[in-house]
Amino acid sequence: MSPTPAKPGGTRIPSRRTVLRGAFTAAVVTGTAGALFPLLDRDPAATARPAPAPGPASGSRATAEEFAEMYRGREIRGTATVVPAGAPADDRVAVAAEPVTEIRIDGRPLHVMRRADGTYLSDVRHYESYPTLLETARAAVDELGSARLAPPAAHHM
């Protein structure tokens, strides 16, 4: 490969590869900084968690959402319970509670997942998420029509 030609004044012209490499590096650094800025710009006092309210023992469950209704001729039942993950490690750090969800349509379980934004999605309508378990169950019934949920598969090990 021949060296980069020099201008008449004696300065070198950067090669296309050097210019593209510099532009790519600048784009990566800018993108990374843009993605990390909200994390680094937080006010520590604003993100401090409030102390947990005194309540039931750590082994108990608190129901966050519960319903039972007939919808389009189908019986739907659901619960969302919060199971405490454990006692705080020290006075400053609280351990997050773990949500447990369950929906049954005509007595058969519907697998439901909670998304990071707090919405729910199900195996039947897994391309859309819904703000509550009730809306998730109704959407699954709408999608199923007259079909029934398959019984849960037996797990073989």
Side-chain angles (χ1 to χ4, degrees), residues 83-146:
V83 178
D90 62 18
D91 291 338
R92 296 172 293 143
V93 180
V95 179
E98 177 184 335
V100 176
T101 59
E102 179 182 38
I103 292 179
R104 291 190 173 270
I105 299 174
D106 295 332
R108 293 190 174 181
L110 172 67
H111 182 69
V112 178
M113 295 166 282
R114 186 169 179 132
R115 296 174 40 123
D117 63 359
T119 60
Y120 300 94
L121 56 93
S122 71
D123 279 349
V124 175
R125 296 291 302 254
H126 55 271
Y127 293 113
E128 292 183 53
S129 57
Y130 301 92
T132 66
L133 279 178
L134 179 59
E135 289 181 45
T136 306
R138 287 177 177 170
V141 168
D142 291 341
E143 186 70 22
L144 285 170
S146 62

Side-chain angles (χ1 to χ4, degrees), residues 42-48:
R42 289 187 192 172
D43 179 17
T47 60

Side-chain angles (χ1 to χ4, degrees), residues 9-103:
T11 59
R12 298 186 119 182
I13 301 171
S15 69
R16 181 174 181 245
R17 178 176 288 170
T18 304
V19 171
L20 290 175
R21 186 181 300 145
F24 176 75
T25 302
V28 169
V29 168
T30 303
T32 303
L36 292 178
F37 182 74
L39 298 174
L40 300 175
D41 191 43
R42 289 187 192 172
D43 179 17
T47 60
R49 293 183 182 175
S58 64
S60 66
R61 294 177 173 213
T63 301
E65 183 179 355
E66 187 172 358
F67 61 89
E69 72 174 27
M70 290 298 287
Y71 178 74
R72 296 193 176 193
R74 310 293 283 274
E75 179 189 19
I76 57 175
R77 293 180 177 274
T79 58
T81 55
V82 178
V83 178
D90 62 18
D91 291 338
R92 296 172 293 143
V93 180
V95 179
E98 177 184 335
V100 176
T101 59
E102 179 182 38
I103 292 179

Side-chain angles (χ1 to χ4, degrees), residues 151-157:
H155 296 289
H156 298 289
M157 289 188 182

